[in-house]
C-alpha cells in the first residue's frame, strides 16, 4: 500500500482499508479462462482475512448487507458469495433482494456499507488493487486538495489515484498492467455480457429502492456522484469506461425518480385544488396545510434530484461524450437520447440536442448508429415542435447518412427520414423524397428494402388513392385501388429515368407491399377488358409495365431473394418460409393457368409483351396441380403453339422452348397433354422444312421464291431455339442440316441466313450426341459412327471457314470450337466401365485453318499507339464496340481450345505476339490464357514464349536484310523488347516456382544466338546477337545462383576472348552479360555497360566507387568463384573449385546440376553456394 500523505491528526481520521485484490484477481483469472469461470469463482470463497466483510462482523450478525441474498444461495446449495461484486457477477439472486440487503446494512452502519459500494465499483473496473478511505474533516483543506492526483509511485511500482469523494478522501492503488489488461465490460463471452446487464440493473434498482429513503440523506448520492465523477476522469480506460457507464445509468435512474416525483406533485396539486374547492366557504383546515407541505417537500426533492442530474451531466457527460474510446461515446449518446425521451421537459431542447447533432459526424459507425436510433425514438414521439431548429440545422447531415459506408447506419438513417416524413410533413421536399426512393435500386438489399418501405408508405399508402367512386361495387373499388397504386408505381418508375430493372423494384417492395404484388387477380384484371371502367384503360406502355410487374412478382414468389447482385450467396430458407413459398406458387399456378391463355391471345401480336408472359409457365408448381384444369392446359398449349408459329424472334422462341420443357417434365400432371403437343409441333416443322427444301431444289441447286425462302429460314430458327432446350435427335435434324449444307457446298445459291441456321442446329445435334454418349455401355461400332459424324461435321465447318460471307465463317468457327471443347470434356469425364470412348483429334490442316482464321478476323484493326492514348467509348461509336465484342468472343473461343488441350500449346504463339500491340483490346484474354497454359505445363508454356519472340525477331531480321521498311504487320525491335518485358512480368514474384522455365528461356536464347558460331575462327559477331538484348529482359527474374550458372553456359558458347571484346558489334553481349552479373544490391546492367565501354579503372578507383563493379579478366574469375555472402559470412571455396567452375560446362554437366524437387520453396531460403539449376 502506498504511504499516506503526512497530515495532522486533526485533519484526518482513518476509517478503513479495503483490499480488493483477492476478489478481483479471481475475476481477472476468469477473463483469461472463461470456460472455467464457475470453478474459479467458487475456488476462493473461504478465507479472506483482509476482505471488506472482515471489518464488519457486527453487520453480519444483524441482517448484513448480503444476508438475504446469501441465504437464498445457501438454500439452493450454492457456494456463499462474499462481496457485492461476486453476487452481482454471478447473477443468481434477485437483484432487488441484494439491494434490500445493502440498504439494511447502510441503515445500520452507513460508512461500512458505503465502503462496500465503493469497492464494488472499483472491482467492476477490473482493479486488482487496494482502496484506502479517510474522513475529510478540515474546512481548510487546501493542502489536501492540492494532493488530489493520479500518478505513479516509483518506490512500489504501483499507480495510485487520490481524490475527494466528500466526506471521504479515497486512495486507489493498482498495478501497472491494468492499463493494457481486460476488464469486465469488454471481456467476451456470454458470462460477461450478462455481467454488464446485471451491473446496469444493480445501479437502476439501487436508486429505485432508495428513492423514498436514503437517497435524500445528503450523504449517499453525493459520495457516489463524487466517486464516479473522479474515476470517470481517470487516465485508465477501465475506470473511465466502467464509471461512465455507471454514472449515466445513475442519471437515467434519477430521471425515473424525477418523473415519479413529477407525477406525485401533479396528483397532490389536483388533490389540493379539490380540497380547496370543498373548503371554499369554510376556514382553512389542517388537511390543506398537510397537502401544501407535501407539495413543497416533493418539489424540494425534485429540485434536489435535478441538481444531482445536472452535476452528473456536467461532471461526467460533458467530459466523456468526446472520449477517445468509441464505446464510451456510444454509451453517452444512447443514454442522452433516452433522457430526452423520458424527461423531455428538461432535456429535450437545443442545448442538449446539439450534442447528438455533433456526434452524427463521429468517425465510428457505432456512435453514429446510436445517434440515429435515438433520434428515431424522439421523432416518433411527435416531438417535432421542440426539434424544429435541430431539424433545420442537421437535416443535410441526416440525408447524407443514407450514403454512409456502414450499411446499418445507412439503413437506420433511411428509417429516421421515414419517421421524419411521417411526423413532420413539410421538412422534406418532393425532390428529396425522390432521391430517397432511388435507393430501391441499390445493391444492398436491407437498405433497398427500407427504401421500398419508405416508397410504399409515402406513395402507395396515400389515403387519397383509396377514395372510392360513388356507387361502385366492392369489386370495382378494389380494382380502382389497385389501378391507382399501379399508376403511382408507374409514375415513379418512369420518372426515375435511371433504371429499367422492375425485378429489383419488386424485390425492394416485397416485404412492405407484398399484398399488392401478390394480388395477381387484381393486376391481371387491369390487363383484361373491363366493361365498367373503359375510361380507366391502361396505355400500351402502362400495360407493358404491368406485365413486367406480374412476371417479377411471380419470379419473386417462386424463387425468393436474394437476387443476383444483392446477396453473397444462396439464402437458406427455413420451414416456414418454404411452406409460404409453396403456397404462393400454388396460388399463382391456379390463377395463371386460367388467365394466361386469354392474356396470350390478347397480346399475340406484340412480341415483347408475349415474351414476358411466356415466362410465367416456367414458375408453375406442377406437383401440386391436379387434372381438373385440363381444358385450361389445352388452351395454354394452343396459345403457345400459335405464338411460336406466328413469331420468329429468338428471345420469344427460346422462352417458349423453356416453357414447353417445364410443362413436359415427367412428374408433371400435364405431361400427357403437353408432350404430344410438343412432338406434333416439332414434327410439323421438320416436315415443312423438308418439303419446302425439296420443292426449292432444281437440278441440285437452290431455286426458291421469296416466300419459300422466308419459311425455310424461319423453320431452322425455331428448331434451333427448341433444340437448345431439349434433345431433338429423334427427328433427324442432323441429316436435314447435312442436306442443306451439301447443296451450298456443291452447287451454291443457299441464302446466307439458312446456312448459318443449318450450322447452328447441326452443332446442337452433335453436342446433344456428345452429352448422351457414354450414358450406357457403348459398343465399338457406335463409337466409330459417332466419331465419323464428328469428323464429317468438322470438315463441313472447315469448308465454311472460307465462305464468302463473314457471318457464315464466324458461325462455323464458333461451332467448331464448341464441339471440340465438348468432345475434350467428354474424354476427361469418360467412365471406363461405359466401354470404348470416342476418340477424335483435329488434323493439322484443321488446326492451321483455325489459326489462320483468328489471325485474319481478330487481329485486323489498324495499329494503335496503345500506350500513349486510349480511345474512349464516346469516340469509337457503337459500331466499333460491337465489332470489338465480336472479335473478343472469337479470340476467347480460340484460347479455350488451347487451354482445354484441343490444340497444341505452340498454337498460342501467334496470339501471344499480339499482347502489346492489342493491349487495350485483348490483354485480359491473352494474359489469362498465358496463366492457364503455365499452370498446365510451365516448361511448354515457356517454350511457346521463346518461339513467339524468336519468330518475331526473325521476321524483323528478314525485313531488315531485304532493305524493306517495316510494314504494319512486322513489329519493331523496341516493341519486341517491350513484349519480352511484359512476358517477364507475368512470372510474378515467386522466383523458385518459375526458375526452371526461366533457365530454359535463357538456354534456348543463348543457343539461338550462337548457333553455328565457332569460337576460334569467327571474328565477326553472330547475326542474331542483338537477340541477347531482348533476352536480358528475363534476367531480373533469375535467382543469384542461377545467374552464375547461366553465365557459365554463356561462356561455353562465346569463349573468353569474345566475352572481353569491346567492339560495338558485341554490345548486346556486353549488355546481356551485365544483366547476369548484376547480383549485388543497388547494381544494374547500366553500371556494367559503363564499366565495360570505358577504360578499365584501377583498384583505387574501384575502392572509391564501389557501386560500379569491375568487369575485366580478373574480375570475371572473381565473379565466377562463389563469393562470400554478407548474411551468412561464408568462406570462399578453394581455387581448384573456382577453376573447375570457370571451365566450359557440357550439356550433361548442366543437366546434373538441376535443382532437386526437395529444394527451397521460396527465394529467401535459397543458399547460393549449394543450389544450382539446369540450363
Amino acid at each position: 500500500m502506498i504511504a499516506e500523505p503526512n497530515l495532522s491528526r486533526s485533519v484526518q481520521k482513518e476509517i478503513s482499508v479495503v483490499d480488493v485484490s483477492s476478489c478481483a484477481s479471481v475475476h481477472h483469472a476468469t477473463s483469461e479462462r472463461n470456460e472455467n469461470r464457475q470453478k474459479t469463482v467458487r475456488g476462493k470463497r473461504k478465507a479472506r482475512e483482509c476482505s471488506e466483510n472482515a471489518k464488519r462482523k457486527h453487520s453480519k450478525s444483524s441482517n448484513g448487507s448480503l444476508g438475504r441474498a446469501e441465504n437464498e444461495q445457501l438454500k439452493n446449495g450454492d457456494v456463499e458469495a462474499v462481496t457485492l461484486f461476486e453476487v452481482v457477477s454471478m447473477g443468481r439472486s434477485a437483484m432487488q433482494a441484494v439491494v434490500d440487503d445493502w440498504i439494511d446494512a447502510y441503515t445500520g452502519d452507513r460508512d461500512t456499507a458505503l465502503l462496500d459500494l465503493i469497492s464494488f465499483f472499483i472491482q467492476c473496473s477490473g482493479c486488482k488493487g487496494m482502496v484506502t478511505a479517510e474522513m475529510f474533516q478540515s474546512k481548510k483543506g487546501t493542502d489536501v486538495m492540492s494532493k488530489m492526483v493520479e500518478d505513479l509511485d516509483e518506490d512500489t511500482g504501483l499507480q495510485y489515484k487520490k481524490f475527494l469523494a466528500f466526506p471521504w478522501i479515497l486512495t486507489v492503488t493498482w498495478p501497472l498492467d491494468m492499463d493494457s489488461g481486460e476488464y469486465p465490460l469488454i471481456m467476451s463471452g456470454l458470462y460477461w455480457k450478462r455481467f454488464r446487464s446485471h451491473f446496469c440493473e444493480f445501479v437502476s434498482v439501487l436508486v429505485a429502492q432508495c428513492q423514498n429513503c436514503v437517497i435524500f440523506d445528503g450523504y449517499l448520492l453525493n459520495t457516489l456522484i463524487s466517486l464516479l465523477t473522479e474515476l470517470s476522469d481517470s487516465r485508465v480506460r477501465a475506470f473511465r469506461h466502467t464509471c461512465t457507464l455507471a454514472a449515466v445509468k445513475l442519471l437515467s435512474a434519477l430521471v425515473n425518480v424525477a418523473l415519479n416525483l413529477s407525477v406525485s406533485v401533479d396528483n397532490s396539486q389536483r388533490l389540493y385544488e379539490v380540497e380547496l374547492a370543498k373548503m371554499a366557504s369554510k376556514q382553512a383546515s389542517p388537511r390543506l396545510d398537510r397537502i401544501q407541505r407535501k407539495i413543497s417537500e416533493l418539489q424540494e426533492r425534485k429540485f434536489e434530484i435535478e441538481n444531482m442530474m445536472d452535476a452528473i451531466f456536467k461532471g461526467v457527460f460533458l467530459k466523456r461524450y468526446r472520449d477517445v474510446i468509441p464505446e464510451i461515446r456510444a454509451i453517452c449518446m444512447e443514454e442522452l437520447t433516452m433522457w430526452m425521451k423520458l424527461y423531455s421537459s428538461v432535456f429535450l431542447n437545443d442545448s442538449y440536442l446539439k450534442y447528438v447533432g455533433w456526434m452524427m459526424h463521429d468517425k465510428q459507425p457505432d456512435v453514429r448508429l446510436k445517434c440515429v436510433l435515438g433520434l428515431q425514438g424522439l421523432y416518433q414521439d411527435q416531438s417535432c415542435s421542440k426539434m424544429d431548429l435541430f431539424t433545420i440545422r442537421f437535416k443535410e447531415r441526416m440525408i447524407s447518412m443514407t450514403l454512409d459506408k456502414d450499411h446499418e447506419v445507412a439503413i437506420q438513417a433511411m428509417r429516421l427520414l421515414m419517421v421524419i416524413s411521417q411526423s413532420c410533413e413539410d421538412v422534406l421536399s418532393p425532390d428529396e423524397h425522390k432521391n430517397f426512393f432511388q435507393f430501391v435500386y441499390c445493391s444492398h438489399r436491407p437498405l433497398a428494402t427500407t427504401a421500398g418501405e419508405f416508397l410504399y408508405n409515402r406513395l402507395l399508402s396515400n389515403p387519397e388513392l383509396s377514395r372510392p367512386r360513388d356507387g361502385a361495387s366492392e369489386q370495382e373499388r378494389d380494382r380502382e385501388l389497385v389501378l391507382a397504386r399501379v399508376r403511382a408505381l408507374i409514375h415513379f418508375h418512369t420518372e426515375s429515368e435511371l433504371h429499367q430493372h422492375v425485378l429489383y423494384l419488386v424485390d425492394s417492395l416485397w416485404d412492405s407491399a407484398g399484398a399488392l404484388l401478390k394480388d395477381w387477380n387484381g393486376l391481371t384484371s387491369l390487363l383484361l377488358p373491363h366493361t365498367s371502367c373503359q375510361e380507366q384503360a391502361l396505355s400500351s406502355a402502362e400495360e407493358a409495365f404491368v406485365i413486367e410487374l406480374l412476371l417479377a412478382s411471380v419470379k419473386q414468389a417462386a424463387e425468393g431473394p436474394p437476387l443476383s447482385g444483392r446477396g453473397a450467396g444462396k439464402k437458406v430458407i427455413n420451414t416456414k418460409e418454404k411452406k409460404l413459398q409453396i403456397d404462393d406458387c400454388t396460388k399463382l399456378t391456379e390463377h395463371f393457368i386460367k388467365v394466361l391463355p386469354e392474356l396470350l391471345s390478347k397480346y399475340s401480336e406484340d412480341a415483347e409483351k408475349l415474351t414476358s408472359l411466356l415466362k410465367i409457365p416456367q414458375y408453375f408448381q406442377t406437383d401440386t396441380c391436379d387434372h381438373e384444369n385440363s381444358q385450361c392446359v389445352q388452351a395454354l398449349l394452343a396459345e403457345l403453339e400459335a405464338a411460336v408459329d406466328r413469331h420468329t424472334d429468338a428471345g420469344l422462341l427460346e422462352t417458349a422452348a423453356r416453357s414447353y420443357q417445364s410443362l413436359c417434365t415427367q412428374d408433371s400432371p400435364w405431361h400427357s397433354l403437353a408432350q404430344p403437343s410438343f412432338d406434333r409441333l416439332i414434327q410439323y416443322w421438320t416436315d415443312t422444312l423438308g418439303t419446302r427444301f425439296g420443292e426449292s431444289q432444281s437440278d441440285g441447286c437452290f431455286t426458291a421464291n421469296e416466300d419459300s425462302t422466308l419459311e425455310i429460314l424461319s423453320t431452322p430458327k425455331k428448331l434451333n431455339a427448341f433444340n437448345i432446350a431439349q434433345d431433338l435427335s429423334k427427328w433427324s435434324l442432323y441429316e436435314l442440316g447435312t442436306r442443306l449444307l451439301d447443296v451450298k457446298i456443291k452447287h451454291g445459291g443457299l441464302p446466307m441466313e439458312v446456312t448459318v441456321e443449318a450450322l447452328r442446329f447441326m452443332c446442337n445435334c452433335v453436342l446433344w450426341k456428345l452429352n448422351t454418349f457414354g450414358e450406357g455401355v457403348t459398343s465399338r461400332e457406335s463409337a466409330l459412327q459417332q466419331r465419323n459424324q464428328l469428323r464429317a461435321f468438322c470438315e463441313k465447318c472447315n469448308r465454311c471457314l472460307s465462305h464468302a460471307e463473314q457471318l457464315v465463317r464466324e458461325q462455323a468457327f464458333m461451332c467448331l470450337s464448341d464441339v471440340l471443347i465438348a468432345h475434350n470434356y467428354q474424354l476427361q469425364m469418360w467412365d471406363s466401365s461405359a466401354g470404348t470412348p470416342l476418340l477424335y483429334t483435329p488434323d493439322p490442316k484443321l488446326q492451321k485453318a483455325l489459326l489462320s482464321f483468328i489471325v485474319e478476323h481478330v487481329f485486323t484493326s489498324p495499329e494503335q499507339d496503345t500506350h500513349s492514348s486510349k480511345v474512349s467509348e464516346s469516340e469509337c461509336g457503337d459500331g466499333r464496340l460491337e465489332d470489338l465484342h465480336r472479335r473478343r468472343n472469337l479470340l476467347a473461343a480460340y484460347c479455350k481450345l488451347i487451354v482445354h488441350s484441343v490444340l497444341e500449346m505452340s498454337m498460342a504463339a501467334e496470339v501471344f505476339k499480339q499482347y502489346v500491340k492489342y493491349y487495350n483490346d485483348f490483354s485480359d484474354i491473352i494474359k489469362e490464357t498465358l496463366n492457364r497454359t503455365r499452370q498446365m505445363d510451365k516448361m511448354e508454356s515457356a517454350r511457346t514464349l521463346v518461339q513467339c519472340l524468336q519468330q518475331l525477331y526473325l521476321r524483323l531480321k528478314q525485313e531488315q536484310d531485304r532493305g524493306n521498311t517495316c510494314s504494319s504487320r512486322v513489329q519493331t525491335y523496341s516493341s519486341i523488347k517491350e513484349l519480352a518485358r511484359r512476358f517477364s512480368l507475368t512470372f510474378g514474384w515467386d522466383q523458385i516456382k518459375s526458375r526452371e522455365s526461366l533457365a530454359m528461356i535463357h538456354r534456348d536464347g543463348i543457343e539461338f544466338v550462337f548457333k553455328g558460331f565457332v569460337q576460334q575462327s569467327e571474328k565477326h559477331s553472330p547475326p542474331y546477337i542483338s537477340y541477347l538484348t531482348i533476352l536480358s529482359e528475363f534476367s531480373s527474374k533469375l535467382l543469384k545462383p542461377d545467374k552464375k550458372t547461366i553465365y557459365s553456359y554463356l561462356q561455353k558458347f562465346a569463349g573468353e576472348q569474345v566475352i572481353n571484346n569491346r567492339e560495338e558489334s558485341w554490345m548486346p553481349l556486353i549488355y546481356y552479360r551485365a544483366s547476369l552479373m548484376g547480383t549485388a544490391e543497388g547494381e544494374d546492367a547500366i553500371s556494367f555497360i559503363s564499366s565495360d565501354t570505358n577504360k578499365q579503372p584501377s583498384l583505387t578507383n574501384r575502392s572509391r566507387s564501389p557501386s560500379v563493379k569491375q568487369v575485366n579478366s580478373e574480375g570475371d574469375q572473381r565473379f565466377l568463384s562463389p563469393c562470400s555472402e554478407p548474411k551468412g559470412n561464408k568462406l570462399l571455396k578453394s581455387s581448384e573449385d573456382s577453376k573447375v567452375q570457370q571451365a566450359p560446362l557440357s550439356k550433361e554437366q548442366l543437366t546434373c546440376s538441376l535443382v532437386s524437387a526437395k529444394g527451397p520453396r521460396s527465394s529467401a531460403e535459397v543458399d547460393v553456394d549449394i543450389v544450382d539449376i539446369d540450363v
Side-chain angles (χ1 to χ4, degrees), residues 352-420:
Y352 295 95
L353 283 169
K354 64 183 179 182
Y355 301 111
V356 181
W358 292 342
M359 298 310 291
M360 284 195 296
H361 297 268
D362 195 273
K363 294 182 179 180
Q364 292 297 323
D366 291 339
V367 182
R368 301 195 300 270
L369 182 61
K370 295 298 183 183
C371 295
V372 174
L373 291 175
L375 290 175
Q376 288 180 17
L378 295 178
Y379 280 103
Q380 285 173 352
D381 289 345
Q382 303 297 328
S383 304
C384 294
S385 59
K386 298 182 179 181
M387 302 175 65
D388 290 339
L389 185 60
F390 172 83
T391 305
I392 295 173
R393 171 63 180 82
F394 294 101
K395 186 183 76 170
E396 293 299 327
R397 176 55 186 163
M398 290 186 285
I399 293 175
S400 65
M401 291 179 75
T402 56
L403 299 173
D404 197 282
K405 63 180 181 180
D406 186 82
H407 291 313
E408 187 61 27
V409 175
I411 292 169
Q412 297 303 329
M414 182 66 69
R415 200 167 294 279
L416 171 62
L417 293 170
M418 189 193 315
V419 174
I420 294 175

Side-chain angles (χ1 to χ4, degrees), residues 34-47:
N34 195 24
E35 65 275 8
N36 298 323
R37 61 177 181 270
Q38 298 297 341
K39 180 179 179 180
T40 310
V41 169
R42 297 176 183 178
K44 299 182 179 180
R45 291 287 188 260
K46 296 181 179 180

